Amino acid sequence: MRHIINIEVENQAGVLARISGLFSARGFNIESLSVSHVDTKTSNMTMVVRGDDWVIEQINKQLNKLIDVIRVTDITTSGRDYVNRELVLAKVHCPSSKRGDITNLVDIFRAKVVDISNHSVTLELTGSEKKINAFLETLKPFGIKDLARTGSIAMIREFHDKTLSNHV
Amino acid sequence: MTGAELIIHAFKQEGVQAIFGYPGGAVIDIFDCLYNSDIPFYLTRHEQGAIHAADGYARSSGKAGICLATSGPGATNLATGLATAHMDSIPIVAITGQVATHLIGNDAFQEADVCGVTRSITKHNYLVKNIEDLAKILKSAFYIAQTGRPGPVLVDIPKDIQQAKTRSTYPDSVEIRSYKPTIKGNKRQIKKAASLIEQSKQPVIFAGGGVVSSGANQELETLAKKIQAPVTTTLMGLGTFPETSDQALKMLGMHGTAYANYAMQQADLIIAVGVRFDDRVTGKVEQFAPNAQIVHIDIDPTTIRKNVQVAVPVVGDVKYVLREINKLLSEQKHKTWMKQILQWKNDHPLSYANIGKIQPQYVIEQIAELTDHNAIVATEVGQNQMWTAQYYNFKKPRAFLTSGGLGTMGYGFPAAIGAQVANPDRMVIDIAGDGSIQMNIQELATAVIYNLPVKIIILNNGALGMVRQWQAIFYKRRFSSICLRRNPNCPPNCKQTEDDCPTYVPDFVALAQAYGAAGFRITEPDEVQSTLKKALETPGPVVVDVIIDKEENVYPMVPSGAPIDEMIRGMA
Ligand SMILES: Cc1ncc(C[n+]2csc(CCOP(=O)(O)OP(=O)(O)O)c2C)c(N)n1
């Protein structure tokens, strides 16, 4: 099963190496990883991993065992609702004749045009992994020239009550 | 204070009484401070000797071992020793010099990314980049090494940081927000464990190195008495329960006793204390202890459910948790079960044939008797290690020093040196193989110079015996590169049936003498007892070269990947 895991770590040199080293040494696979510092002392990592319950339990415990890891939260199994986002930049082949078609898609997906040239446009989209996959599928026929994609980041929603939480 | 002075000051504050190490350019400032310090420094002849000595010091005393080495090659020479200590959870603080901060990353002379190299073989490591962090980092290193599940911590200190001045003081304590080991087990889990224990008809207590680290052997004995259960130990747990007791099953697993393995396979409850269910213990894990529920007590949550399913996990310090469990338990009697255990012990004792050659097991028994099972015994790795584990019959913890997890040849002798430093009044013995001893033989100089009267007893079978054993049993006696007598003139497919082999090199007796140690050789069975006695009574370091039967193997043996009650008992 696919799990999104949030890891709060000390913002210290070598932390990323410790975590990636742990995964390679123990044979766990990271599907995506995104890292940034939250304040001068703390960094946050969101990691997408796949594995059965045993693997996920070990990942959780082994991460916790690292001295620099402050907290590990398995967002997927937290039993709470969460927001999950990725960002993609896609440079798409686009002669001026196709601009209309592409801006249509941009509107439908609520994406953004961030750069434009005679032969191409560069588009930006944030959303769930699913939404981004769907977007890229629709762009494929035009010809994707270049692609950059962040891993997922995720956060637990403040309210348990789904009717109250605002699904934007 | 300079950084270097701060390091020595930290050692003083921590009560360090011995440092093992080797100098070099990147630590010359620290050595300059040691020049007029009163902390005893032991100059080994190799950094690997230093780190194993720090390890032996720690295992035998319970205090952190201290090791000091220079950058680059000095630091990489520590790698095997760090990995050895890491696998066996031994507290060590290792200080390495590093090139000056402005040179880091430049491929400077004697630069190596030591934190990178040692990341997965230490409990934690630090590169000090700012003199103002040094005091806190050193305190954290001592704290992390000795608390929770202990382990080696390395602090890599650039030369300019050693020279820089600071006003910071060494803290009395340190708070690390991301490191808070659980000591007290969860009350509900402890209750559940106690109630499972009270329901059990055929319990087995299974104790490991965690009992040694937490000093819980008293509590373990209390538990065993109270519930009348047999006790088996891992290699790392030997000595936590007196092996001479009726309730002792001795070691289990690949080279464990048949009765320990039978008991595990028949048990309805396994009380696992400070163990990690290593593959050498479980054998084929799917068929391990098929009838048993498992209570698993360990301070490290990652060990729980890593290899086996557990009915009641209790995360906490073993000593604390056992004490709590003992309080809840009423006296239990398991007469039928204990009768069965004694029956197995009678029917399947450890045994060896007496065929007129020197049998290594007999040598160990003699050493045990001469030392009243009370010496500190280090071993190397291989058959020598397993025979010692099987035949010495340890009565106390912290007396058996062996590389359990990593299986490091060359560990025993320097570890014995460290143990002798920590225990100047005790008999310290290294039981060695003729292969392993050559991996750190240079430390004879250290033993002689500091007058550390370690007794090395080499079980000399002229071969890398344990590998030979596997080749004999599983590889049709195709003896590939295990013979230490073999030279290019030997026949290509030697099956080792004749005895007209080339002379053994080195001559261990002459070698010992060259270093200024005493040397003895034993070639006949009837000399074993008297010569060993003489050797153990000889002051100073001693080497005894015992020429043993090279065909002798370690039995019982569970083939790798088989269930633990399917043992090979010996070769016809
Ligand atoms: C550093 C190292 N290299 C290789 C091995 C693999 N190995 C395990 S036992 C063994 C043979 C040891 O021979 P010896 O020291 O003579 O002991 P014996 O088994 O004969 O008692 C070897 C090579 C090891 N454990 N450690």
Side-chain angles (χ1 to χ4, degrees):
Chain A
M1 187 178 149
R2 181 174 178 271
H3 288 248
I4 304 171
I5 295 177
N6 241 337
I7 315 163
E8 202 180 321
V9 298
E10 296 290 349
N11 182 14
Q12 250 157 33
V15 180
L16 185 58
R18 278 183 213 284
I19 289 181
S20 58
L22 170 78
F23 275 70
S24 62
R26 303 226 172 237
F28 306 140
N29 279 321
I30 306 178
E31 206 159 275
S32 78
L33 174 64
S34 113
V35 192
S36 75
H37 58 104
V38 174
D39 54 49
T40 51
K41 286 195 160 160
T42 316
S43 290
N44 204 311
M45 302 190 181
T46 308
M47 187 179 265
V48 178
V49 291
R50 255 177 221 284
D52 56 22
D53 291 351
W54 180 85
V55 169
I56 300 297
E57 178 177 338
Q58 272 296 313
I59 288 177
N60 210 325
K61 287 175 170 177
Q62 295 287 355
L63 282 170
N64 265 307
K65 187 170 164 179
L66 293 177
I67 307 284
D68 285 336
V69 169
I70 303 163
R71 188 168 37 214
V72 180
T73 315
D74 186 337
I75 290 194
T76 318
T77 57
S78 63
R80 295 172 61 181
D81 205 4
Y82 58 88
V83 198
N84 177 16
R85 292 287 182 275
E86 245 180 85
L87 182 142
V88 69
L89 294 174
K91 192 181 286 170
V92 183
H93 183 72
C94 179
S96 43
S97 59
K98 293 272 160 101
R99 272 189 197 153
D101 297 350
I102 288 187
T103 40
N104 248 343
L105 281 177
V106 165
D107 282 345
I108 293 168
F109 279 93
R110 285 195 276 171
K112 255 195 246 164
V113 177
V114 290
D115 189 29
I116 192 156
S117 77
N118 284 342
H119 310 289
S120 71
V121 287
T122 301
L123 309 176
E124 175 196 313
L125 177 71
T126 45
S128 68
E129 191 199 19
K130 256 191 201 152
K131 179 172 172 183
I132 292 192
N133 286 346
F135 182 55
L136 294 177
E137 262 325 295
T138 56
L139 290 180
K140 247 191 203 157
F142 297 95
I144 298 174
K145 295 170 74 168
D146 204 357
L147 189 70
R149 189 170 173 173
T150 67
S152 281
I153 55 169
M155 198 171 277
I156 289 175
R157 287 184 194 271
E158 197 48 32
F159 296 102
H160 285 268
D161 186 346
K162 288 190 180 164
T163 55
L164 272 179
S165 75
N166 186 8
H167 287 261
V168 272
Chain B
M1 230 184 321
T2 65
E5 285 164 348
L6 179 56
I7 295 164
I8 305 302
H9 174 69
F11 287 166
K12 290 233 126 190
Q13 295 299 109
E14 294 293 339
V16 169
Q17 279 162 21
I19 305 170
F20 303 91
Y22 212 90
V27 282
I28 201 160
D29 291 275
I30 305 174
F31 277 84
D32 188 58
C33 294
L34 280 173
Y35 190 71
N36 43 18
S37 154
D38 52 8
I39 306 176
F41 179 83
Y42 295 86
L43 177 67
T44 55
R45 293 308 186 256
H46 191 304
E47 286 90 352
Q48 192 183 349
I51 185 113
H52 288 329
D55 176 311
Y57 182 96
R59 287 189 209 227
S60 64
S61 70
K63 292 186 271 186
I66 312 296
C67 178
L68 175 57
T70 193
S71 67
T76 53
N77 272 348
L78 298 184
T80 303
L82 288 169
T84 303
H86 187 52
M87 277 292 243
D88 290 346
S89 310
I90 305 305
I92 288 180
V93 174
I95 307 284
T96 48
Q98 180 55 279
V99 301
T101 349
H102 71 275
L103 290 174
I104 289 178
N106 280 7
D107 298 328
F109 178 63
Q110 294 194 326
E111 179 183 1
D113 172 16
V114 173
C115 278
V117 170
T118 62
R119 194 168 288 131
S120 62
I121 52 173
T122 51
K123 182 172 174 185
H124 196 56
N125 61 19
Y126 293 96
L127 169 63
V128 184
K129 287 189 172 155
N130 183 336
I131 177 73
E132 297 311 325
D133 297 337
L134 181 60
K136 188 181 173 199
I137 287 177
L138 288 169
K139 185 72 204 178
S140 306
F142 275 92
Y143 176 61
I144 291 170
Q146 295 174 286
T147 52
R149 180 175 176 176
V153 179
L154 179 139
V155 187
D156 197 27
I157 310 176
K159 189 169 168 134
D160 56 322
I161 304 277
Q162 297 168 32
Q163 292 167 340
K165 293 234 177 214
T166 174
R167 285 171 181 282
S168 61
T169 52
Y170 191 68
D172 290 331
S173 64
V174 68
E175 157 88 18
I176 304 169
R177 63 171 169 166
S178 52
Y179 175 71
K180 303 245 183 314
T182 311
I183 304 298
K184 302 181 177 182
N186 179 297
K187 278 211 171 95
R188 281 215 336 256
Q189 294 298 95
I190 289 175
K191 260 197 198 141
K192 271 198 218 160
S195 91
L196 261 194
I197 293 171
E198 293 200 328
Q199 285 159 33
S200 164
K201 301 259 181 303
Q202 307 192 353
V204 175
I205 299 172
F206 166 35
V211 177
V212 181
S213 324
S214 96
N217 50 302
Q218 289 297 338
E219 289 74 8
L220 186 78
E221 278 190 54
T222 308
L223 173 68
K225 281 217 183 84
K226 207 160 189 184
I227 66 168
Q228 202 189 26
V231 181
T232 181
T233 67
T234 64
L235 185 66
M236 292 298 299
L238 284 178
T240 55
F241 190 77
E243 293 194 273
T244 41
S245 152
D246 271 355
Q247 278 170 264
L249 295 169
K250 298 170 58 90
M251 184 173 75
L252 82 170
M254 180 175 276
H255 291 300
T257 60
Y259 44 92
N261 289 344
Y262 289 148
M264 288 303 266
Q265 296 302 77
Q266 298 298 320
D268 67 358
L269 178 72
I270 289 168
I271 308 161
V273 195
V275 296
R276 59 188 175 88
F277 292 92
D278 167 87
D279 54 280
R280 284 288 189 266
V281 157
T282 61
K284 187 173 187 184
V285 72
E286 297 80 16
Q287 288 175 38
F288 173 71
N291 309 312
Q293 289 196 290
I294 297 176
V295 169
H296 190 179
I297 309 167
D298 202 282
I299 197 156
D300 178 0
T302 64
T303 63
I304 286 169
R305 278 202 291 266
K306 186 171 66 183
N307 300 334
V308 295
Q309 276 307 321
V310 172
V312 182
V314 189
V315 175
D317 180 67
V318 160
K319 191 182 175 95
Y320 181 94
V321 174
L322 282 184
R323 225 184 253 161
E324 293 303 304
I325 290 182
N326 285 341
K327 276 192 220 158
L328 297 177
L329 289 172
S330 57
E331 300 264 332
Q332 308 285 311
K333 290 274 174 251
H334 298 291
K335 255 192 164 163
T336 349
W337 178 228
M338 281 315 293
K339 219 173 118 197
Q340 170 71 75
I341 299 280
L342 290 181
Q343 185 73 48
W344 280 328
K345 286 180 78 164
N346 272 325
D347 293 350
H348 313 283
L350 286 171
S351 66
Y352 56 93
N354 216 333
I355 50 167
K357 298 184 181 173
I358 301 180
Q359 301 311 117
Q361 301 92 331
Y362 171 72
V363 178
I364 310 278
E365 285 175 340
Q366 291 308 310
I367 299 169
E369 210 157 288
L370 287 166
T371 57
D372 196 20
H373 308 270
N374 216 1
I376 295 176
V377 181
T379 72
E380 303 294 338
V381 167
Q383 295 177 315
N384 60 85
Q385 178 184 34
M386 292 300 125
W387 286 320
T388 307
Q390 292 178 331
Y391 287 90
Y392 190 84
N393 282 324
F394 291 89
K395 290 199 245 179
K396 297 251 169 66
R398 300 203 177 278
F400 179 52
L401 319 176
T402 202
S403 170
L406 200 68
T408 307
M409 290 172 69
Y411 166 80
F413 178 35
I417 287 178
Q420 188 78 77
V421 168
N423 302 272
D425 300 328
R426 287 189 61 186
M427 170 73 78
V428 180
I429 297 173
D430 175 38
I431 295 178
D434 51 310
S436 301
I437 192 63
Q438 296 186 62
M439 286 209 177
N440 273 315
I441 192 94
Q442 76 286 348
E443 299 308 331
L444 270 171
T446 314
V448 168
I449 282 167
Y450 293 98
N451 193 24
L452 299 164
V454 172
K455 315 298 179 213
I456 301 175
I457 296 165
I458 303 173
L459 302 176
N460 188 340
N461 51 14
L464 303 175
M466 188 54 97
V467 181
R468 185 185 191 278
Q469 170 165 350
W470 284 55
Q471 290 174 352
I473 301 175
F474 305 115
Y475 291 85
K476 305 190 181 116
R477 294 181 74 86
R478 288 161 54 88
F479 292 125
S480 179
S481 298
I482 48 81
C483 181
L484 297 180
R485 287 175 184 265
R486 188 176 170 80
N487 70 26
N489 301 324
C490 287
N493 299 315
C494 173
K495 294 283 182 219
Q496 302 215 345
T497 44
E498 284 144 50
D499 269 334
D500 54 346
C501 297
T503 316
Y504 192 92
V505 277
D507 174 339
F508 286 113
V509 173
L511 183 75
Q513 286 160 355
Y515 273 105
F520 295 85
R521 179 166 293 119
I522 306 179
T523 55
E524 300 302 324
D526 60 4
E527 298 166 357
V528 170
Q529 199 184 25
S530 57
T531 309
L532 277 179
K533 185 161 187 292
K534 218 188 302 165
L536 295 181
E537 283 168 358
T538 303
V542 175
V543 176
V544 190
D545 186 21
V546 191
I547 311 303
I548 62 162
D549 177 7
K550 73 176 175 198
E551 288 296 334
E552 191 59 35
N553 285 335
V554 182
Y555 296 114
M557 178 180 196
V558 178
S560 187
I564 56 171
D565 50 357
E566 287 178 16
M567 288 158 277
I568 306 175
R569 289 308 187 69
M571 301 256 281

